[in-house]
Amino acid sequence: MRAAPGMLYDAEITSHLFEHARDIVLVIDASTGAILDANRAAEQAYSWSRDELRARTIFDLRESPPHSVSEQMRQASATGILFETIHRRSDGTTFPVEVSSRGEIISGRRALLSVVRDITERKLFETEREELLLATQRALAMRDEFLVIASHELRAPVTNISLQLQHLSRLIDRGTVRAALRVVGEAVHGEARRLAALIDSLLDAQAVKGQLVLDRTDVELSTVVADVVDRLRARAEQAGSELVIEVPEIHGRWDRMRIDQVLSNLVGNAIKYGRGRPVRVVAGIDGPHASIEIADEGIGVSQDDIDRIFGKFERAVPSQYGGLGLGLFIARQIVEAHDGLIHVHSVPGIGSTFRVVLPRV
Ligand code: ADP
């Protein structure tokens, strides 16, 4: 007949629990820290045999300074204690543990009974969770900042449109001549285009490199530059910047609209950050590549910010300069989709030169 569990001797149960527990169990002399006994899990965890463990003290397994170990032993003996610390294996490597320790009288001797759990995985999980939390907090902060900038940027043209329309209706009431009405109409149109361009760049920013589908045709670069310059001439004049263009006839198989977008962003920035100084657009053929440089004599970018400004929503200027921080991000996506390169050389206070290199075929 099988014996009921209750019929086993207590000592036998205790010995089974001690021996086969998955956690490390250490019996430690409460006054000296000498290890009196250790279970199989301890042998495996510390890579010491039981006899080797019995020849050591708890101080040998700990990384902490002896006085803090003694203090924990005192607390464990008095009230029992649960704490996390670091233990050391025979080869000197360490692992994080959670220790539950309390004082008991064992064989007439004051001893500490410590159950030690290896928490390596828990710690890894906690670190991953903290990193994830930090990344989420950063993303949320970035989103909040972006919403502030985006709403400010989108609101400006809407406000201008509504002011111009109020002006227009007053002019109509007064029976103003057609030419004056046309000027207001063009101003409204310009603001609407600005609004559309902002919305387009927001949508473009969602496109990642792999998803950017190019519509390649035979493109002649100087005509693209001419289009861009025509569109930006008024803005350059307003800023007081002269546009100097030295672009010969260069053919390549590119997406015309996208290259136009890159150059519009770069020339637009050169005007915006150019402090009213001249902006030069110079292009040439460099072996199988076409290279285009847009140089200004403006505020420049500090070395610390140079890599960052090509990132999404990254800006390195005070908010008085309007912008979403998407132009360079989109420009880089487009240039890289063409297997090209974009980089910048800049000196704060002296100016910036953005260089785009595109394979011609
Ligand atoms: P935005 O101009 O809308 O801020 P961009 O992506 O076009 O966004 O540019 C990102 C940042 O790079 C700008 O905020 C500015 O700090 C910096 N930058 C870009 N072009 C220039 C330039 N020509 N001179 C100085 N700084 C520039």
Side-chain angles (χ1 to χ4, degrees):
M1 215 176 87
R2 267 182 77 196
M7 292 174 71
L8 287 169
Y9 291 112
D10 281 356
E12 213 172 326
I13 298 174
T14 312
S15 139
H16 279 297
L17 282 175
F18 176 74
E19 206 45 39
H20 300 296
R22 286 179 59 187
D23 287 334
I24 299 162
V25 183
L26 298 173
V27 184
I28 298 159
D29 185 296
S31 50
T32 64
I35 297 171
L36 304 174
D37 207 353
N39 67 349
R40 203 175 290 171
E43 290 183 292
Q44 283 166 359
Y46 300 110
S47 299
W48 291 116
S49 72
R50 195 163 308 202
D51 285 341
E52 285 170 328
L53 280 168
R54 283 193 191 121
R56 289 183 158 70
T57 70
I58 188 61
F59 298 95
D60 299 323
L61 303 183
R62 294 284 302 268
E63 283 281 282
S64 322
H67 64 87
S68 72
V69 178
S70 301
E71 174 55 23
Q72 281 168 335
M73 285 169 59
R74 197 193 57 70
Q75 279 183 40
S77 180
T79 56
I81 182 174
L82 179 73
F83 62 99
E84 287 184 8
T85 186
I86 306 286
H87 274 190
R88 194 170 26 219
R89 301 186 184 89
S90 64
D91 63 3
T93 57
T94 57
F95 58 106
V97 291
E98 181 190 79
V99 181
S100 156
S101 184
R102 54 176 294 123
E104 301 285 349
I105 303 292
I106 296 174
S107 310
R109 197 169 173 180
R110 185 80 185 156
L112 302 176
L113 201 56
S114 295
V115 178
V116 180
R117 179 164 294 178
D118 183 336
I119 54 169
T120 306
E121 279 190 14
R122 192 211 292 176
K123 285 279 165 203
L124 275 178
F125 176 71
E126 277 172 14
T127 312
E128 271 171 25
R129 207 181 49 181
E130 272 161 26
E131 281 170 2
L132 201 68
L133 193 68
L134 266 180
T136 311
Q137 281 167 345
R138 265 201 300 270
L140 283 177
M142 224 170 126
R143 191 201 60 178
D144 289 349
E145 194 188 318
F146 164 71
L147 285 176
V148 171
I149 294 173
S151 36
H152 175 262
E153 286 298 304
L154 293 172
R155 182 172 288 278
V158 174
T159 308
N160 287 345
I161 287 173
S162 109
L163 287 174
Q164 294 283 2
L165 288 176
Q166 281 170 21
H167 182 47
L168 190 65
S169 69
R170 274 197 301 271
L171 291 181
I172 292 169
D173 287 347
R174 277 191 230 139
T176 312
V177 287
R178 200 184 272 181
L181 300 181
R182 183 170 298 127
V183 172
V184 180
E186 272 164 16
V188 171
H189 192 208
E191 291 297 335
R193 270 207 309 265
R194 192 172 140 206
L195 194 56
L198 282 171
I199 293 168
D200 282 349
S201 59
L202 281 173
L203 294 175
D204 271 349
Q206 297 307 315
V208 288
K209 198 163 123 200
Q211 291 168 338
L212 209 85
V213 182
L214 297 181
D215 179 18
R216 286 181 193 261
T217 55
D218 284 320
V219 175
E220 201 283 288
L221 190 65
S222 70
T223 61
V224 185
V225 173
D227 284 354
V228 170
V229 167
D230 274 352
R231 277 200 316 274
L232 293 177
R233 197 173 297 283
R235 210 191 292 174
E237 272 167 18
Q238 217 174 11
S241 283
E242 184 194 354
L243 293 177
V244 183
I245 313 301
E246 291 167 27
V247 181
E249 198 178 307
I250 303 175
H251 290 266
R253 284 200 58 81
W254 304 309
D255 183 325
R256 186 184 176 100
M257 230 182 68
R258 293 297 190 179
I259 296 300
D260 183 306
Q261 202 178 352
V262 171
L263 298 178
S264 300
N265 275 330
L266 297 179
V267 177
N269 279 348
I271 296 169
K272 179 159 75 171
Y273 302 114
R275 296 187 303 180
R277 307 278 307 149
V279 170
R280 299 170 72 87
V281 184
V282 179
I285 291 176
D286 189 359
H289 297 104
S291 87
I292 312 134
E293 284 186 358
I294 295 94
D296 65 59
E297 299 169 19
I299 59 172
V301 189
S302 81
Q303 210 53 37
D304 290 345
D305 292 322
I306 255 176
D307 291 331
R308 187 169 73 75
I309 57 173
F310 289 94
K312 213 185 229 183
F313 306 131
E314 293 286 1
R315 313 196 69 223
V317 280
S319 58
Q320 84 222 30
Y321 289 100
L324 292 175
L326 289 174
L328 289 183
F329 171 75
I330 294 167
R332 188 173 70 177
Q333 302 297 310
I334 295 173
V335 170
E336 289 181 354
H338 280 84
D339 298 316
L341 284 174
I342 179 168
H343 44 87
V344 57
H345 174 75
S346 188
V347 182
I350 301 289
S352 312
T353 300
F354 284 80
R355 185 161 198 254
V356 174
V357 178
L358 294 171
R360 282 184 289 140
V361 283

